[in-house]
Structures are given as C-alpha cells and as structure tokens.
Amino acid sequence: MMIAFLNSTAFTALGTPTTWAEVVGFVSGAWCVYLVGRQSILNWPIGIANNLVWILLFATAGLYADSGLQVVYIALAVWGWSNWARGRDGDALPVTGTNTTEWSVLAVVGVAAVIGLTALLEVATNSTVAFWDATTTVLSLLATWGQAKKRWESWLLWIAADLIYIPLYLHKGLALTALLYAGFLLLCIRGLVAWRRSMAVERQLVEVQ
C-alpha cells in the first residue's frame, strides 16, 4: 500500500506528473544536504530515509544504477555516521583535504568503475543513458566517501554530479527531481564555502595552540 501511494501522482509539475516519492525525496533530500553543510550528524539518518525513497523512484524511472546506488549509500551512511560520531581524539571530526595519494586512488577507481558499470548497464538492463547513469553513480559514491571522511573536496564531486543529474532527470521526465538537484547544486556551493571556512578556522586554532 505504501509503495502504491508513493508511486501515485501528487500533482503535475511543468506538465509532467509528479509522484509522492518525488515530493518526499525533495523534502528529505534538501534537508539532508542542508544538514551536511552545517556539519550536523543528523544528516545521516535523514539521508538514509531519503535513500529508501530514491530506491523506489529511480527503479520506476529505469535508472537502475541510481536505484542500486541507494543501497550502497545506506551502507556508506552507516559508516559515515559512525565516523562523525566517534570524531577524532574525543573531538568532532574536523574538515580536512584529500591528499595526492587519495586523489590518485580515487581517479583510478573512478575511471575503472565508470567503464565497468557502463558496460554492465548496457548488457544487463534496457537503460538508454548507461554512460551518464554510471558516471553520476560513481561521482556520487566518491563524494559520499569524501563526505564520510569530511574531505572538503567531496563538495566538488557533488557539484560535478549535480551538473549531470539535472539534465538527466529532465530527460527522464522527473521534473521535480531535476528542480531538487538544482537546489542541491546551490546547497553544495554553500556547503563548499562553509567547509572551507571551517577548515581555515580549525587550522588557525591549531597554529595558535
């Protein structure tokens, strides 16, 4: 019954029927990104609830990689939640940067994952946007890893993913979701500025000590 309700039409946006799943995803998703920007640990449980809604929404739209991605997100969210809760030496986990070694590993893993996932989607599904689906999936996974470690560059990866997601969702007829991701883009820019500022403050405190 709940699945049927979430798949039902809430209203029509830009001439396209909008389901309750999109509405719930819009609210919980925007709230989650806002909380991440404020470094609130509550972003993790809100994010998990959002992932559960996206599983249904994306599977219905034929975005299979995005749907499966939500399961991985939930696992990463549990890990990130634990990282943020433990912090470092009893203090809150600080915002830091990604070192050269980490970037090298992320680049190699990212390219290989996009190639492999694109091939898998083309063979195993009827996806008409396999490459873009795979690319946004991999960017989002790498960004979530960075978010869990509080690496400020994770916002750059989210921004790159959002710039692809917006036209992709419009292409798939998910008008409200595309609008949501336009909002995500603005929140990501805000989060990037906030995390950079936080890192600068933390660095000054270390120098004073």
Side-chain angles (χ1 to χ4, degrees), residues 73-86:
Y73 272 158
I74 292 173
L76 286 173
V78 172
W79 173 61
W81 195 349
S82 175
N83 277 350
W84 284 36
R86 290 199 313 269

Side-chain angles (χ1 to χ4, degrees), residues 98-112 142 145:
T98 306
N99 61 46
T100 302
T101 300
E102 288 175 334
W103 270 123
S104 299
V105 172
L106 291 175
V108 171
V109 170
V111 171
L142 296 180
W145 175 87

